[in-house]
Amino acid sequence: MTTFLSPQWAFERYEAIRSRLPRAEFPSQSTFGQSLADTAQHFDAYILDAFGVLNRGEEAIAGAVDRLQELRDLGKRLIVLTNAASYTRVQLLEKYRRLGFDFTADEVVSSRDVALASLPVLESGAPWAAAALAEDDFSDSPFPLHNLHLDPSLYERAGGFLLLSSQNWSDADTIRLRDALRQNPRPMVVANPDLVAPRVDGLSLEPGTIAHEIADQLGAQPLFFGKPYKNAFDVALARLAGIPKSRIAMVGDTLHTDVLGGAAAGIGTILITRHGLFRGLEVDPFIQASGICPNWVVETT
């Protein structure tokens, strides 16, 4: 059963782990608008979060498909940068097309891809253990991955752990992984640094929450791949070579991943408020409390 968390909890937890997040500079105030259409004269390219911008769970956000087509018609470049690490690139493209979006393979960058491309080689041929869906397809991995959900003996014998999904993950699993790492320290790679993700029914717990809880207790430093970290933005920005950073905007629904990550990468930032973390809330108190100020705040995609 999925446990849904509150926006206030997520915000406070992001603030508590702020020392592990990138540093960035922010504008003194935001410009406000209704949708991305209001920002079009200011940017030539958009790096788009998925959850809270394009979709919530398995539902497309109303008007998002048409808005992106309008931006394409204006000559804007589009890149999706998602922390949805449970999907292979092929599966992501299939999902977006099912929801009505027309992204090409070159227009999609996932934290899973970034993490798999950077997995360290383990000593003595020890296997990687992945926290993943039972049906996860590991054919895109450069190293053999073994599903921790299906083989609990991996807690003892794995050479490293890769966190892809927190679905079906329990507090007991967190304790078992923590104890396994305490007894035998090994790499813990996090391919989804998000603490929560917006679903139709609320905010679900994501792998970043698990990793930071273990890091707090062990004093360990996980290897994070995905927003807000530089590794993910480097890949996305490489797809937009030739466009000045001042003309590129990161569009997302969270302050501590999308806006902070975009600002740290030196690009513009746009916060969408209606569909994601801050749905139904007044966002200004959160901006003031965190000091994470987007260039733009708009209601919807």
Side-chain angles (χ1 to χ4, degrees), residues 8-23:
Q8 187 64 41
W9 180 92
F11 178 82
E12 292 175 357
R13 187 66 181 121
Y14 271 122
E15 283 291 283
I17 53 95
R18 190 76 177 266
S19 64
R20 297 193 189 104
L21 304 182
R23 296 178 180 272

Side-chain angles (χ1 to χ4, degrees), residues 74-290:
L74 291 171
K76 310 300 182 182
R77 295 280 304 281
L78 305 176
I79 296 289
V80 178
L81 178 57
T82 177
N83 283 354
S86 299
Y87 300 88
T88 65
R89 181 189 296 244
V90 170
Q91 290 169 334
L92 276 176
L93 286 168
E94 290 175 349
K95 175 180 178 178
Y96 296 145
R97 287 167 184 161
R98 186 171 66 250
L99 296 178
F101 300 101
D102 62 349
F103 301 113
T104 66
D106 287 342
E107 291 178 322
V108 176
V109 176
S110 77
S111 57
R112 177 188 180 108
D113 289 340
V114 180
L116 289 177
S118 304
L119 281 181
V121 177
L122 298 177
E123 296 181 2
S124 304
W128 277 98
L133 300 175
E135 65 274 17
D136 205 337
D137 174 8
F138 298 141
S139 61
D140 56 339
S141 174
F143 298 109
L145 294 181
H146 301 263
N147 198 312
L148 190 58
H149 178 72
L150 301 179
D151 184 0
S153 74
L154 290 163
Y155 283 102
E156 286 71 43
R157 64 186 184 86
F161 298 91
L162 173 63
L163 305 189
L164 296 172
S165 172
S166 55
Q167 189 171 329
N168 301 322
W169 189 269
S170 68
D171 290 342
D173 294 320
T174 300
I175 292 170
R176 186 167 186 180
L177 178 56
R178 178 205 64 194
D179 291 346
L181 289 170
R182 176 179 286 144
Q183 181 177 2
N184 179 16
R186 285 156 286 175
M188 179 169 59
V189 174
V190 187
N192 180 355
D194 287 348
L195 301 187
V196 297
R199 310 284 178 174
V200 173
D201 297 323
L203 300 175
S204 61
L205 180 147
E206 298 300 314
T209 294
I210 299 164
H212 285 290
E213 181 176 341
I214 292 173
D216 286 345
Q217 295 182 32
L218 298 184
Q221 179 57 54
L223 299 174
F224 291 102
F225 293 93
K227 298 172 298 175
Y229 298 96
K230 182 177 183 294
N231 45 55
F233 283 93
D234 283 347
V235 176
L237 288 170
R239 309 279 175 92
L240 299 172
I243 301 176
K245 284 188 174 183
S246 63
R247 300 290 297 178
I248 301 172
M250 175 67 216
V251 184
D253 71 299
T254 69
L255 294 172
H256 292 84
T257 57
D258 303 310
V259 176
L260 176 58
I267 60 177
T269 56
I270 302 172
L271 181 70
I272 302 281
T273 60
R274 184 183 295 175
H275 312 291
L277 181 63
F278 298 110
R279 181 168 52 136
L281 299 175
E282 172 57 51
V283 72
D284 189 63
F286 295 97
I287 292 174
Q288 295 298 322
S290 65

